[in-house]
């Protein structure tokens, strides 16, 4: 059993970096979601609408994952990864300066597409 655990943690430096970066990405998305909920509550949006906005994001990720793989194969992984980061940044801008509910839905859709691009690459 001791040898199993030693082999389990004997990973290459690339694998360690990948695991560490995925962990930090997951933590940052979780923190952003919590702060987004507080931001939307501060805008006066009720809990039902907040749930609908966030659920829209999950649905978009589900629908966008297969086309994102095809786009990554066509344009290249680095281009799609960079596009995903840009989409996420643009969505943060939209969330920060939007007051209308339709703009918040649009920001969530853009954010979900960006997350999908990053995850699939």
């Amino acid at each position: 059993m001791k040898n199993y655990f030693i082999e389990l943690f004997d990973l290459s430096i690339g694998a360690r970096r990948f695991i560490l970066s995925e962990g930090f990405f997951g933590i940052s998305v979780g923190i952003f979601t919590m702060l987004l909920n507080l931001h939307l509550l501060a805008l006066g949006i009720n809990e039902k609408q907040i749930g609908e906005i966030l659920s829209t994001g999950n649905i978009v990720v589900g629908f966008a994952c297969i086309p994102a793989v095809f786009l990554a194969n066509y344009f290249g992984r680095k281009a799609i990864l960079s596009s995903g980061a840009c989409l996420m940044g643009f969505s943060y801008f939209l969330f920060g300066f939007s007051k209308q509910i339709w703009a918040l839905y649009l920001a969530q859709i853009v954010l979900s597409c960006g997350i999908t691009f990053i995850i699939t690459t």
Side-chain angles (χ1 to χ4, degrees):
M1 190 73 159
K2 178 182 174 184
N3 290 336
Y4 173 75
F5 282 115
I6 290 172
E7 291 176 9
L8 184 65
F9 293 109
D10 187 31
L11 299 171
S12 69
I13 190 69
R16 287 183 199 159
R17 286 180 184 161
F18 174 75
I19 291 170
L20 195 62
S21 66
E22 285 294 311
F24 283 135
F25 182 71
I27 289 169
S28 66
V29 169
I31 290 172
F32 171 75
T33 303
M34 180 190 68
L35 293 175
L36 177 63
N37 287 338
L38 295 174
H39 174 69
L40 294 176
L41 284 171
L43 289 177
I45 299 172
N46 64 24
E47 294 85 5
K48 182 179 181 251
Q49 288 177 322
I50 292 172
E52 290 172 354
I53 291 170
L54 296 178
S55 297
T56 301
N58 294 332
I59 292 169
V60 169
V61 168
F63 283 126
C65 62
I66 300 298
V69 172
F70 291 128
L71 289 172
N73 289 336
Y74 185 74
F75 291 109
R77 303 239 177 250
K78 289 181 184 177
I80 296 301
L81 181 68
S82 300
S83 300
C86 290
L87 286 173
M88 287 181 70
F90 180 66
S91 70
Y92 297 154
F93 177 80
L94 285 176
F95 274 123
F97 292 103
S98 299
K99 303 271 189 249
Q100 295 85 12
I101 193 76
W102 64 267
L104 296 170
Y105 276 104
L106 176 66
Q108 183 64 35
I109 290 169
V110 171
L111 175 67
S112 298
C113 289
I115 289 174
T116 302
F117 283 0
I118 289 175
I119 290 173
T120 56
T121 56

